[in-house]
Amino acid sequence: MTILNVNNLSVKFDNSQILKDITFHLSRGQYLAVVGPNGAGKSTLVKTLVRENRHFEGVFSFDKSIKTTGYVAQQNNDGSYFPATAKEVIISGLCRHHLLPFVSKSDRTRINTVIEELELEDLLDKGYFNLSGGQKRAVLIARAFVASDKLLILDEPTAGLDVTSQSRLYSCIRKLNDKFKTSILMISHDLERIIKEADSVLCIEHELKFFGKTEDFIKTETFKSLMEHHV
Ligand SMILES: Nc1ncnc2c1ncn2[C@@H]1O[C@H](COP(=O)(O)OP(=O)(O)OP(=O)(O)O)[C@@H](O)[C@H]1O
C-alpha cells in the first residue's frame, strides 16, 4: 500500500533551483534512505514533506491513514535550555495532533510501547537538556513515533554522535520498522550503514539520480561516485 506519493516536486530559493522534478513513492513498511552530497536538497525535500517549506511546485499526497508524520529535524546542537523532562518531550509528540492533546488509550499504548522498545525507562524523569547527544536523539525518535507510528521522517538523526550511539539509534529505528511496520524516510550521510538498513534508496543531487531498491543502487555509478567522495 502506497502511503506517500511525490510527483515532480520542485523547489527554488532566490532563483536557485534546489529540487527539480523529484518523483518517488513510499509504501507501508518501506525503509527509504535519502542520500546525496552536501547541499543536494535532501533537507529541503523533507521540510517540504512536513510542510515547513511551502514554496514548491508539483504535488505530494499522503494516504488518508497518515494523519500526521513523526519528524526529527536535523540537529544543530544550539538548543537553548528548556525545562522539560525526557518523558515530557516524548509525550509532546501528541501535540502534532492537537495543541492540548486528549490522551486516548491507543496514545497511552504507543507511548508505553516506544519507551519500552527503545529502553528509555531510566531517562524518563531526567531533564532533557542533561541527556547525552545519543539519548536526546533516542528521545526525539520516541517523540516522533508518538506523533505517528505509521511514518517517521528523520533528517540525519545519527549525525555528530559516536559510533556506539549511532549503532544504537540505527537498531532503534530498525526495531520500529520491523515490529510495527513503521515506514521510514531517513536522510543519512553514512552510506555504508544505511545501505545495510534501508530496503530502498532515493538519491538526489537537485535532480533525481536514483530511486529503487538498495540492491540495485549499489550497482550504480552514482553509488560508486558517492562512496568515493565519502559523503
Ligand atoms: N530557506 C532557504 N532559503 C534559501 N536557500 C536555502 C534555504 N534552505 C536551504 N537553502 C539552500 O538550499 C540548498 C540545499 O540545502 P539542503 O539543506 O536542502 O541540502 P542537504 O542536501 O540537506 O545538505 P546537507 O547534506 O549538507 O545537510 C543549500 O544551498 C542551502 O543553502
Side-chain angles (χ1 to χ4, degrees):
M1 181 179 96
T2 302
I3 58 163
L4 168 64
N5 255 311
V6 179
N7 278 304
N8 294 316
L9 188 75
S10 298
V11 175
K12 261 187 190 174
F13 288 133
D14 310 324
N15 277 331
S16 158
Q17 189 87 48
I18 307 300
L19 294 174
K20 190 167 190 305
D21 291 335
I22 304 295
T23 295
F24 68 97
H25 58 268
L26 185 72
S27 303
R28 176 155 192 265
Q30 193 175 344
Y31 189 149
L32 177 68
V34 180
V35 302
N38 287 118
K42 303 180 296 298
S43 292
T44 302
L45 171 66
V46 302
K47 281 182 190 165
T48 306
L49 297 178
V50 300
R51 299 185 169 89
E52 278 191 6
N53 166 48
R54 292 180 185 267
H55 303 283
F56 64 90
E57 287 173 17
V59 285
F60 66 89
S61 60
F62 292 95
D63 180 73
K64 59 181 185 314
S65 64
I66 307 293
K67 303 274 184 279
T68 186
T69 56
Y71 174 48
V72 178
Q74 198 174 78
Q75 305 297 302
N76 53 17
N77 296 324
D78 68 353
S80 49
Y81 177 76
F82 180 77
T85 62
K87 185 168 33 179
E88 286 165 339
V89 170
I90 293 169
I91 292 171
S92 75
L94 292 177
C95 298
R96 280 184 82 87
H97 300 264
H98 308 287
L99 194 53
L100 292 172
F102 166 74
V103 183
S104 66
K105 202 173 163 200
S106 73
D107 292 336
R108 208 182 295 270
T109 307
R110 215 160 57 253
I111 291 167
N112 290 333
T113 304
V114 77
I115 289 170
E116 195 183 318
E117 293 294 340
L118 304 194
E119 297 172 22
L120 300 174
E121 292 90 343
D122 294 345
L123 304 182
L124 292 179
D125 295 324
K126 294 192 175 161
Y128 173 75
F129 280 89
N130 295 327
L131 301 180
S132 72
Q135 290 170 332
K136 278 184 186 154
R137 304 291 172 83
V139 166
L140 291 179
I141 290 171
R143 176 183 184 274
F145 184 84
V146 167
S148 170
D149 57 2
K150 304 244 176 2
L151 171 60
L152 297 185
I153 296 183
L154 311 173
D155 191 345
E156 289 195 70
T158 63
L161 299 177
D162 61 65
V163 179
T164 314
S165 308
Q166 287 189 359
S167 208
R168 186 168 178 265
L169 280 187
Y170 273 110
S171 307
C172 290
I173 296 164
R174 161 121 323 285
K175 217 177 209 184
L176 299 178
N177 179 243
D178 282 347
K179 266 199 141 163
F180 306 103
K181 295 273 167 281
T182 305
S183 304
I184 310 286
L185 186 155
M186 171 161 154
I187 298 177
S188 176
H189 278 287
D190 186 351
L191 263 187
E192 280 179 52
R193 178 72 194 238
I194 198 69
I195 57 167
K196 292 190 186 116
E197 300 290 335
D199 50 55
S200 46
V201 174
L202 175 74
C203 179
I204 54 175
E205 190 170 355
H206 306 299
E207 302 177 345
L208 184 69
K209 295 289 179 191
F210 179 90
F211 170 59
K213 288 188 178 153
T214 309
E215 65 204 60
D216 295 328
F217 178 62
I218 58 178
K219 294 176 197 150
T220 62
E221 287 303 316
T222 308
F223 171 68
K224 283 177 201 148
S225 147
L226 264 183
M227 282 299 262
E228 274 161 23
H229 291 94
H230 197 69
V231 290

